[in-house]
Amino acid sequence: MIHLVWLVPFLPLLGFLVNGLGRRYLSKSLAGIVGSGAVLAAFVISLLIFLEVKTPGFQAQVVPLFDFISAGSLHIPFAFQVDQLSALFLLIITGVGSLIHIYSTSYMHDESSEGFARYFAYLNLFVFSMLILVLGANYVMMFIGWEGVGLCSYLLIGFWFKNTNYNNAAKKAFVMNRIGDLGFLLGIFTMIVHFGSVSFPEVFERAAALGEGSKVIPVIAILLFVGAAGKSAQLPLYTWLPDAMAGPTPVSALIHAATMVTAGIYMIARSNILYTLAPSIQTIVAVIGLATAVLAATIALKQDDIKKVLAYSTVSQLGYMFLALGVGAYTTAVFHVMTHAFFKALLFLGSGSVIHAMGGEQNINKMGGLKKYMPVTHVTFLIGCLAIAGIPGLSGFFSKDEILAETFISNKLMYAIALITALMTAFYMFRLYYITFCGKFRGTHEQEHHLHESPAAITIPLIILAVLSVVGGYIGLPEVLGHSVLKEYLAPVFAPSAPFVHAHEHLSHNTEWLLMGLSSLLVIITIFFARSWYRNYEDNGEPRTGIAKVLENKWYVDELYDAIIVKPLMMLSRFFEEAIEKSGIDRLVNGVGRGVHWGSQQVRLLQSGQVGFYIFAMVIGMVVLFVIGFLLK
Amino acid sequence: MLTVLLILIPLVAGLVTFGLKGSGPKALGLVASLASLAVTIAALFQFRTAPDTLQLTANWIPQLGAQFSFGMDGMGLMLCLLTAISFLLIFIVIYNRDYERPNSFYGLMLLSQAGLVGVFTAYDALLFYVFWELALIPVYFLCSLWGGEKRIPVTFKFFVYTFAGSLLMLVGLIYIYLQTPDHSFSYASFISGAVAPQDQSWLFWLFFVAFAIKMPVFPFHTWQPDTYEQSPTPVTMVLSGVMVKMGLFGVIRWLLPVLPKGAYMWSDVAIVLSIIGIIYASCIAIVQSDIKRLIAYSSIAHIGLMSAAIFTNNEQSLQGVMVQLFNHGINIIGLWIIVEIIQNRLKIKNLNEMGGIAQYAPGIAIFLVIISLANIALPLTNGFIGEFLMFSGLFQYNVWFMAVAGLGIILAAVYTLNMVQKVIFGQSNGLTETTTDLKSNELLVLIIIVGMILVFGFYPKPMLELVSGTTELVNKVY
Amino acid sequence: MPVQYYIFLSIALFCIGVMGVLMRRNAIIIFMCVELMLNAVNLLLVAFSKMWADAGRVDAGGAQIFVFFIMVVAAAEVAAGLAIIVMVYRNSQSVDINIMNRLKN
């Protein structure tokens, strides 16, 4: 089965080609079937591959397809690598991807059939790129997928291209990602120079041979992390992700919550040895992850757009994952990627269902009391909120609690901040839930009249994701409760770094129970707080003041970037254009021309027309030549 | 034999075209460019089996030691292929446009093609110089006769500027000629290492300035945006797609092997100038509102990267440059074709007056997006492979140079996406609502271009293999 | 006679010719001065020819061929030049060269 792995990305590519080329001729249902079918088929193959990989003792396999680049001493094959990590990501991508494709067939039904096919073509292209990203057997392949998903994100954020704001958001996402990509590229070049290769096994082997204390590895690690920070929306490159919510909601669920933004985590988990060997960089990763988590969580507290809340929540959760990576808990980070994919996709799709019912309205102040109109959406959304908040028994609880426990081992202060962030998460999620689903309906009568539960194509994915959000955590049970299947499964991937990990203390079972109990208790108290404040929420329409206003305006980070980067760049460009190009270089060049012109005009005066003068000049000239000739002799 | 045929076809066809009337010039132009392409492809096959048969040497001016010496290596062949494809695509796309005095227009176009092929195949310094000028002259007439409002001063500047550079090169050529032991202009004696190191130092500048003006490299670039803006678009395609490659080609074929020590001595300066050019031109491109000028500055930035990579003395980057010579040509011609189509429909060049074309002409929009993505070197498009190798070489030369040049990637994304957004996205206006979508000949050309973008993006191996021989040769001498 | 004498005479004749051309305004006089210069050269050629012949060079006579060339050219020149001067005189009733600056402007 492994040798058929090329089919996994190929099927979505085929779907892209069919939908893209035939967008004028395909009916909506056909386009939907082609789009969803391609991903679903890829899921089935992924599942078969996964079953094969899951057998104990499976060794990573590289499937070469053809020579991509071979220049001088550099050889980069177009090859796929199948191992435990990529197989798991395959499942997440194609699994959640299929659900979202199915969901989209209903959600995007109002588009023209051409737009509908275009949408599915982009979505399939995205799945293709994402699969290339996780399947690539070397960093260049990963980079191909990396930029590919960036492109699809650009295309899908700007899907409704008539809206200039959406286009600006798309452009911002692409450019910010490119900043990260430059770091990634520099990291690749450093590898080429120092390791002479970009393929995973060779790089890791040579890095391990260098061991700790090498100067190269931290450089590579930090450069790759710049790339990861761009793609996974970490400080300081996170501002594109909330803006990216301009895209259709299923896109936000798939790309900007479940899959693409976790590429950074995949990359660092994949390169775990590089980070294990560079503890200083690990600390940076952890600090940036934590800072992002806190910052985004504070912003999420005061957002009124349902998707913006979820977007900042995503940024915050991604920060959590980087925190886990930073403290060396690679398995935990991947675990959280998985559970987050389930409940965040669920929440986004649920919000999509709400937005659909509200006729495109996204402001939660205009909603309220939706639970009696949309029972399925309501229940599933509640499950999502409970999962992300970390209520014991649901998937989010296990993964988040493990991150907290690992942080506790590594640094107590970080643990405290992470715990507060977790409480903020619970608070803003339930604020969102209560404002949206409880209380009175605050929209217009017309909207109220139209409120309805969404069709089956929307609710079935919601139900499946809700089930996964509940049970997904049981593959990673903490030690006190039993046995982590995931840890055992992923062990071979992180085996290379094992020898270099400093044997750190294990938490005693009592401490672990205590931490778990503490966080659960605090979360439940927070939820009750949120309930008492927002259960009967009335929008008084007063503008916010003080800190709330700062939070509503996202700490003014966008404005800050505008002032320190965008405006100076524009000024510099104008300066180049006006001062240097037009009045500087070009004037100089034209000045040479004008100088020659002026000089010629002066010399022209010698041509007086007096024959006598000419002859005189001639004689003088000859005499001068004779004299020079004489002197030179 | 094929090599000479490749020059003779456009030369003879061009001369004949001057005497034709009606639709004759169009047809002959098309036939001649098709024939050139066929011959080039034949040469490609012959290059694999018997590369020596592509060489041809005959007496020209024996007293001077100048010969008719033509030949092809991988790079020359690839550039001939680029020339043949470019002219064919251009002739197809302008097939239903009407130019005044079509016989002169097509004749001059074909003559410039002959000149270009001559430059790429000449293995004799004097012959190279002759073709170098020969390629310039028809373009001068094309620009000054069919150009925009300000064509006369702009073309004059273009001609004088490039001609001044050529004269510097001529001085250098003659000096080197006098140094050669057998007083010969042949390539073999030029690269035999007869030039003393202290001479190489100043000779380098004679050649570098000539080539830098042609490319153009900062600060010798100011003729280029004006000329691109004022020339008729088919001529701009020739200029930016093929003719600027003469400068880069000249550096690889002549400057590096003939003056290796000079190039080594001044490589830092040349690279710094090129990198300044990348950032500088990218910044200016961001604030352009004229689509032609925007693409012109984007081209300066891309060429800057190539010229920086040439001097890194690195096998990978040299190979990257050669691949990029071809791919950049294809991409930029693609962009110009889109510009030509938009101008044909809307008669405007100002980006701020465009917008919303995607709704009315989705074909134009799709092709513009794909070609723009290739222009910013997205992986799996043809632009990626060259840029990757060039950056890799630059990185190995100096990390900081690469980091600064790398900012160009980000800026390229900014200005290219700005352009895409302003042209095809957003709300339409009264003018852009009238845009009609692609006609069949335009569609054909764009499909060919996008096909090449994707095929060479996915599978660049044949290209890399084609030029690897040249790299080895240059590396051996350099 | 030593060849120096011929050289000095020839230089003197040539300088007179040059000064005449430079200083006189009458076209006919200028014309005659030009002839003077030509003949100064002729004199020199003949003198050197004789000198080399005395020194035993068999091909020394070749220089005298040049003299004939110059005489023929001078004759042709007189024919054309005098005709021009005659035409100028007919047009402007003068042979002063300072009025012949019509090419200017």
Side-chain angles (χ1 to χ4, degrees), chain A residues 91-271:
Chain A
L91 277 191
I92 298 175
I93 294 160
T94 53
V96 177
S98 325
L99 291 177
I100 290 171
H101 274 74
I102 294 165
Y103 178 98
S104 302
T105 53
S106 169
Y107 189 86
M108 299 300 285
H109 218 267
D110 295 339
E111 291 295 314
S112 67
S113 73
E114 203 176 325
F116 193 78
R118 185 164 62 93
Y119 172 83
F120 275 97
Y122 289 167
L123 220 51
N124 277 345
L125 185 63
F126 167 77
V127 174
F128 163 74
S129 310
M130 191 70 206
L131 291 170
I132 294 278
L133 196 163
V134 298
L135 276 175
N138 54 55
Y139 281 99
V140 172
M141 289 287 294
M142 194 197 263
F143 186 75
I144 293 172
W146 196 264
E147 289 245 303
V149 290
L151 162 70
C152 300
S153 161
Y154 166 79
L155 292 172
L156 283 162
I157 296 169
F159 180 74
W160 288 304
F161 55 76
K162 287 185 209 169
N163 187 320
T164 307
N165 287 338
Y166 293 1
N167 286 319
N168 288 337
K171 208 168 63 188
K172 182 174 173 185
F174 194 87
V175 171
M176 282 203 137
N177 269 306
R178 273 246 152 167
I179 297 173
D181 293 351
L182 178 59
F184 191 174
L185 211 52
L186 285 165
I188 293 179
F189 293 148
T190 318
M191 281 177 217
I192 292 177
V193 172
H194 292 280
F195 298 149
S197 169
V198 289
S199 84
F200 294 141
E202 284 175 34
V203 169
F204 299 154
E205 205 174 288
R206 280 165 209 178
L210 280 180
E212 236 172 304
S214 139
K215 287 210 177 91
V216 180
I217 294 174
V219 173
I220 298 179
I222 189 80
L223 289 171
L224 291 184
F225 177 60
V226 172
K231 192 61 77 193
S232 295
Q234 296 297 294
L235 271 176
L237 298 174
Y238 72 95
T239 57
W240 66 268
L241 183 57
D243 288 9
M245 296 303 133
T249 309
V251 170
S252 312
L254 178 62
I255 301 186
H256 304 118
T259 54
M260 182 185 90
V261 288
T262 59
I265 289 104
Y266 168 78
M267 177 213 252
I268 292 183
R270 171 63 77 200
S271 330

Side-chain angles (χ1 to χ4, degrees), chain B residues 387-465:
Chain B
E387 284 209 3
F388 181 82
L389 290 173
M390 289 190 288
F391 274 125
S392 174
L394 201 54
F395 185 87
Q396 288 168 43
Y397 184 83
N398 184 320
V399 175
W400 298 108
F401 283 180
M402 191 264 141
V404 176
L407 294 177
I409 313 183
I410 300 167
L411 296 174
V414 175
Y415 64 70
T416 308
L417 296 185
N418 261 337
M419 176 186 78
V420 170
Q421 179 183 357
K422 282 183 178 161
V423 174
I424 60 174
F425 294 146
Q427 290 293 341
S428 54
N429 55 35
L431 182 63
T432 54
E433 274 163 23
T434 60
T435 319
T436 45
D437 213 346
L438 299 169
K439 298 192 175 67
S440 52
N441 61 335
E442 297 161 346
L443 190 67
L444 173 71
V445 167
L446 287 170
I447 285 175
I448 294 173
I449 286 177
V450 167
M452 284 194 284
I453 285 176
L454 294 178
V455 167
F456 293 129
F458 250 100
Y459 195 60
K461 201 177 164 197
M463 266 185 152
L464 286 168
E465 276 175 359

Side-chain angles (χ1 to χ4, degrees), chain A residues 424-614:
Chain A
M424 283 199 271
T425 309
F427 184 81
Y428 65 68
M429 284 315 300
F430 276 89
R431 168 180 174 267
L432 178 68
Y433 166 74
Y434 282 116
I435 294 180
T436 310
F437 287 97
C438 299
K440 287 205 308 283
F441 185 72
R442 295 178 295 274
T444 61
H445 278 291
E446 199 186 341
Q447 280 174 327
E448 190 166 8
H449 186 70
H450 278 120
L451 283 176
H452 57 277
E453 183 55 272
S454 304
I458 287 185
T459 51
I460 289 171
L462 286 179
I463 294 166
I464 296 174
L465 283 169
V467 171
L468 287 171
S469 300
V470 174
V471 303
Y474 289 91
I475 60 161
L477 289 178
E479 274 176 47
V480 284
L481 290 175
H483 172 67
S484 172
V485 184
L486 187 70
K487 200 163 252 169
E488 196 183 340
Y489 166 73
L490 284 176
V493 178
F494 303 118
S497 30
F500 301 97
V501 175
H502 300 288
H504 61 61
E505 50 189 301
H506 265 279
L507 285 182
S508 71
H509 284 193
N510 282 344
T511 333
E512 209 164 323
W513 278 115
L514 192 71
L515 292 178
M516 238 188 256
L518 179 71
S519 64
S520 309
L521 188 69
L522 287 174
V523 162
I524 291 169
I525 294 172
T526 316
I527 292 174
F528 274 99
F529 257 119
R531 179 170 188 269
S532 61
W533 285 6
Y534 294 110
R535 189 179 36 173
N536 291 310
Y537 177 76
E538 281 296 328
D539 178 28
N540 49 17
E542 276 175 27
R544 294 192 171 96
T545 51
I547 184 79
K549 188 173 174 215
V550 175
L551 292 182
E552 190 186 4
N553 286 298
K554 310 145 194 168
W555 293 102
Y556 296 102
V557 174
D558 276 323
E559 285 78 1
L560 180 74
Y561 284 178
D562 199 45
I564 62 170
I565 296 171
V566 180
K567 288 215 176 99
L569 179 67
M570 294 311 274
M571 272 167 60
L572 181 73
S573 304
R574 294 241 159 67
F575 172 75
F576 279 163
E577 159 89 352
E578 300 295 333
I580 298 190
E581 181 82 353
K582 283 195 183 137
S583 343
I585 300 173
D586 205 24
R587 182 172 287 186
L588 195 72
V589 172
N590 290 341
V592 172
R594 234 172 266 133
V596 171
H597 196 75
W598 181 84
S600 316
Q601 234 152 19
Q602 304 309 308
V603 177
R604 192 183 73 106
L605 297 179
L606 288 177
Q607 305 289 319
S608 58
Q610 303 286 343
V611 181
F613 178 74
Y614 293 166

Side-chain angles (χ1 to χ4, degrees), chain A residues 168-478:
Chain A
N168 288 337
K171 208 168 63 188
K172 182 174 173 185
F174 194 87
V175 171
M176 282 203 137
N177 269 306
R178 273 246 152 167
I179 297 173
D181 293 351
L182 178 59
F184 191 174
L185 211 52
L186 285 165
I188 293 179
F189 293 148
T190 318
M191 281 177 217
I192 292 177
V193 172
H194 292 280
F195 298 149
S197 169
V198 289
S199 84
F200 294 141
E202 284 175 34
V203 169
F204 299 154
E205 205 174 288
R206 280 165 209 178
L210 280 180
E212 236 172 304
S214 139
K215 287 210 177 91
V216 180
I217 294 174
V219 173
I220 298 179
I222 189 80
L223 289 171
L224 291 184
F225 177 60
V226 172
K231 192 61 77 193
S232 295
Q234 296 297 294
L235 271 176
L237 298 174
Y238 72 95
T239 57
W240 66 268
L241 183 57
D243 288 9
M245 296 303 133
T249 309
V251 170
S252 312
L254 178 62
I255 301 186
H256 304 118
T259 54
M260 182 185 90
V261 288
T262 59
I265 289 104
Y266 168 78
M267 177 213 252
I268 292 183
R270 171 63 77 200
S271 330
N272 57 77
I273 177 115
L274 299 177
Y275 288 84
T276 311
L277 289 173
S280 53
I281 308 303
Q282 265 193 317
T283 316
I284 294 177
V285 173
V287 170
I288 288 194
L290 189 60
T292 313
V294 178
L295 184 88
T298 56
I299 296 173
L301 293 173
K302 288 290 169 201
Q303 294 301 309
D304 290 331
D305 181 320
I306 186 168
K307 287 180 74 181
K308 281 275 161 75
V309 178
L310 293 175
Y312 280 105
S313 158
T314 306
V315 176
S316 174
Q317 296 297 310
L318 291 167
Y320 247 86
M321 296 172 206
F322 278 96
L323 175 63
L325 293 170
V327 299
Y330 303 114
T331 316
T332 316
V334 175
F335 184 27
H336 200 56
V337 166
M338 193 189 84
T339 56
H340 178 256
F342 296 151
F343 58 69
K344 193 48 73 60
L346 168 62
L347 289 167
F348 264 114
L349 294 185
S351 77
S353 173
V354 168
I355 294 166
H356 199 58
M358 294 286 297
E361 179 62 60
Q362 300 194 7
N363 189 336
I364 50 175
N365 289 327
K366 303 273 159 51
M367 298 175 186
L370 295 182
K371 67 179 170 188
K372 61 175 181 273
Y373 303 104
M374 316 179 68
V376 181
T377 308
H378 164 245
V379 172
T380 50
F381 198 88
L382 180 61
I383 291 172
C385 289
L386 290 170
I388 192 174
I391 295 295
L394 281 79
S395 63
F397 169 75
F398 296 109
S399 54
K400 185 178 283 187
D401 205 70
E402 209 173 312
I403 295 178
L404 287 173
E406 296 277 356
T407 315
F408 184 79
I409 296 172
S410 147
N411 188 322
K412 305 286 183 292
L413 178 67
M414 279 188 170
Y415 167 76
I417 301 174
L419 183 61
I420 294 170
T421 313
L423 299 182
M424 283 199 271
T425 309
F427 184 81
Y428 65 68
M429 284 315 300
F430 276 89
R431 168 180 174 267
L432 178 68
Y433 166 74
Y434 282 116
I435 294 180
T436 310
F437 287 97
C438 299
K440 287 205 308 283
F441 185 72
R442 295 178 295 274
T444 61
H445 278 291
E446 199 186 341
Q447 280 174 327
E448 190 166 8
H449 186 70
H450 278 120
L451 283 176
H452 57 277
E453 183 55 272
S454 304
I458 287 185
T459 51
I460 289 171
L462 286 179
I463 294 166
I464 296 174
L465 283 169
V467 171
L468 287 171
S469 300
V470 174
V471 303
Y474 289 91
I475 60 161
L477 289 178

